Amino acid sequence: MVAYIIRRLLLMIPTLFGIMLLNFVVLQFLPGGPVEQVIAQLTGTAVDATSRVSGGGGAEVNREQQMSNQGADAAVSSKYRGAQGLDPELIKDLERQFGLDKPAYERFSLLVWNYIQFDFGESFFRDQPVIGLVIDKMPVSISLGIWTTLLTYLICIPLGIAKAVRDGSRFDIWTSTVIIVGYAIPGFLFAVLLIVLFAGGSFWDLFPLRGLTSEGWDDMSWPAKIADYFWHMVLPITAMAIGGFATLTMLTKNSFLDEINKHYVVTARAKGLSESRVLYGHVFRNAMLIVVAGFPSAFIGVLFTGSLLIEVIFSLDGLGLLGFEAALNRDYPVVMGTLYVFTLMGLILNLIGDLMYMIIDPRIDFESRDV
């Protein structure tokens, strides 16, 4: 197992490098970079992506003074859209501040070296270290991922077992219809529906519309803090979990059906064991192998694909919203930093998932296989 872990860890290095290189190249061709963002602010044509992002910070270059120094009729040839009429020295200062005055290969080499040391630099527009932003936002996204995954497992495993035992019955057909319909509804649309129904939209006002805690949360008692936290989490978690029911439920059902039809189950029943003893004493452990071992992968899947729009809709200040705002505002250090963290987490959790297979079922041996 040790050799396998070492090989997987070493394989993460070229994987991370390839993903970072690909996204770095994409960013180089993305229109509307950070220099254009500042130019748009200087010329009064900027449109804020969200109300959260500050326009100051690292891009501050004493703009009023620079604008007063430029000639009213100056027209310069520039590669930046909207830069006509601006002082060329201002453009060069912006490029130096954003590090865009260096060749692309040099910037990428510096980025790789800094990331090896977990130095993600500073945000262009927030005037904060990227690592600090990531650490501040991570608890929100992780809590959403953990609670959503736990809720999905707590509902889908018993439901999948019940469907397997009642295979072909009305219960099986109707529950399949419900979960498939739920799977077909995008999470963000279901989130809007929940807001309309339960957050003061048009019907009931039972749950808060935005945020993770209420005002005055710091002054509450511990029981009140816990209750307030879960009160705010009900709608986001429900919206994120709705799409995951179908896959896990059908996986659980099919795993049980596969085990129920094996010879050892027939033998156990022939010996006179009760149906509950057969199901939960023999079938359950074997059928749950793939379901339980897949927990890390399910968690990272929820974290990657489900949190972005939910965080935006419910104004939850997590990594998804941070990356979304950074992409819109071309805050490249934040974009690359959040991408690096997500990728690293995904690779580590996939490794943990493989190790869980080996722990749950000792017959599985990755040591003898190539990675």
Side-chain angles (χ1 to χ4, degrees):
M1 182 182 293
V2 176
Y4 174 75
I5 294 175
I6 294 175
R7 291 200 305 270
R8 285 292 298 271
L9 291 175
L10 292 176
L11 185 62
M12 291 180 186
I13 298 175
T15 304
L16 277 172
F17 180 84
I19 292 174
M20 300 307 294
L21 175 60
L22 177 62
N23 285 273
F24 181 83
V25 172
V26 170
L27 289 179
Q28 305 314 302
F29 296 97
L30 197 65
V35 175
E36 284 94 332
Q37 295 289 321
V38 176
I39 290 173
Q41 293 176 14
L42 290 173
T43 56
T45 59
V47 178
D48 289 339
T50 64
S51 60
R52 291 175 178 271
V53 181
S54 170
E60 195 65 49
V61 292
N62 197 4
R63 295 170 185 165
E64 292 183 0
Q65 180 180 354
Q66 294 285 358
M67 288 292 288
S68 64
N69 291 336
Q70 68 177 31
D73 297 326
V76 296
S77 175
S78 175
K79 61 183 178 181
Y80 299 110
R81 184 176 56 185
Q84 288 77 13
L86 295 180
D87 187 352
E89 290 300 320
L90 171 62
I91 306 300
K92 292 180 180 179
D93 286 341
L94 290 174
E95 288 181 335
R96 281 193 293 269
Q97 291 190 30
F98 292 126
L100 300 177
D101 57 329
K102 302 181 180 66
Y105 71 88
E106 186 176 336
R107 284 185 278 123
F108 182 71
S109 300
L110 182 61
L111 179 141
V112 171
W113 174 249
N114 289 336
Y115 276 30
I116 292 174
Q117 307 173 69
F118 281 87
D119 179 9
F120 302 140
E122 289 199 0
S123 167
F124 286 161
F125 301 105
R126 292 175 180 260
D127 200 22
Q128 297 181 49
V130 174
I131 187 64
L133 287 171
V134 171
I135 292 174
D136 288 343
K137 314 301 183 185
M138 189 177 292
V140 176
S141 297
I142 289 180
S143 62
L144 282 173
I146 288 177
W147 291 120
T148 300
T149 308
L150 285 177
L151 176 65
T152 304
Y153 269 67
L154 289 175
I155 293 176
C156 292
I157 290 178
L159 180 59
I161 296 173
K163 286 173 65 63
V165 173
R166 299 171 177 84
D167 184 38
S169 66
R170 289 185 177 180
F171 172 81
D172 182 34
I173 295 172
W174 281 106
T175 52
S176 295
T177 303
V178 171
I179 63 175
I180 290 174
V181 170
Y183 181 75
I185 300 175
F188 70 91
L189 285 182
F190 193 69
V192 174
L193 176 63
L194 291 176
I195 290 174
V196 172
L197 292 178
F198 302 112
S202 300
F203 295 89
W204 302 281
D205 189 5
L206 303 178
F207 298 99
L209 178 60
R210 59 176 57 89
L212 199 59
T213 56
S214 302
E215 293 183 5
W217 188 80
D218 293 332
D219 299 327
M220 297 180 183
S221 62
W222 277 108
K225 285 183 177 180
I226 295 174
D228 182 74
Y229 167 76
F230 283 107
W231 182 47
H232 282 76
M233 293 288 283
V234 168
L235 296 186
I237 290 176
T238 304
M240 290 178 65
I242 189 67
F245 287 152
T247 302
L248 186 58
T249 300
M250 300 309 295
L251 178 63
T252 304
K253 174 189 173 181
N254 293 334
S255 297
F256 258 78
L257 287 176
D258 184 56
E259 293 295 324
I260 287 174
N261 294 324
K262 290 185 176 179
H263 292 299
Y264 75 90
V265 176
V266 177
T267 303
R269 286 171 173 166
K271 290 181 178 180
L273 296 180
S274 64
E275 191 65 17
S276 60
R277 178 73 180 277
V278 172
L279 287 177
Y280 298 103
H282 296 274
V283 176
F284 184 83
R285 179 179 178 182
N286 295 328
M288 286 297 99
L289 169 62
I290 190 172
V291 176
V292 175
F295 183 89
S297 298
F299 168 70
I300 203 64
V302 170
L303 195 61
F304 280 160
T305 61
S307 63
L308 172 57
L309 290 176
I310 299 301
E311 288 182 13
V312 173
I313 291 172
F314 290 100
S315 299
L316 300 174
D317 203 6
L319 285 177
L321 184 58
L322 175 67
F324 172 73
E325 293 175 345
L328 290 181
N329 292 281
R330 304 300 189 262
D331 197 343
Y332 292 162
V334 177
V335 173
M336 296 296 290
T338 53
L339 174 70
Y340 182 85
V341 170
F342 272 129
T343 304
L344 186 60
M345 288 176 60
L347 292 172
I348 292 175
L349 286 174
N350 281 331
L351 173 59
I352 293 175
D354 288 346
L355 296 179
M356 288 185 65
Y357 277 107
M358 299 172 64
I359 293 172
I360 295 175
D361 189 351
R363 296 172 298 176
I364 298 177
D365 183 17
F366 290 114
E367 289 276 4
S368 58
R369 299 173 57 187
D370 294 331
V371 178

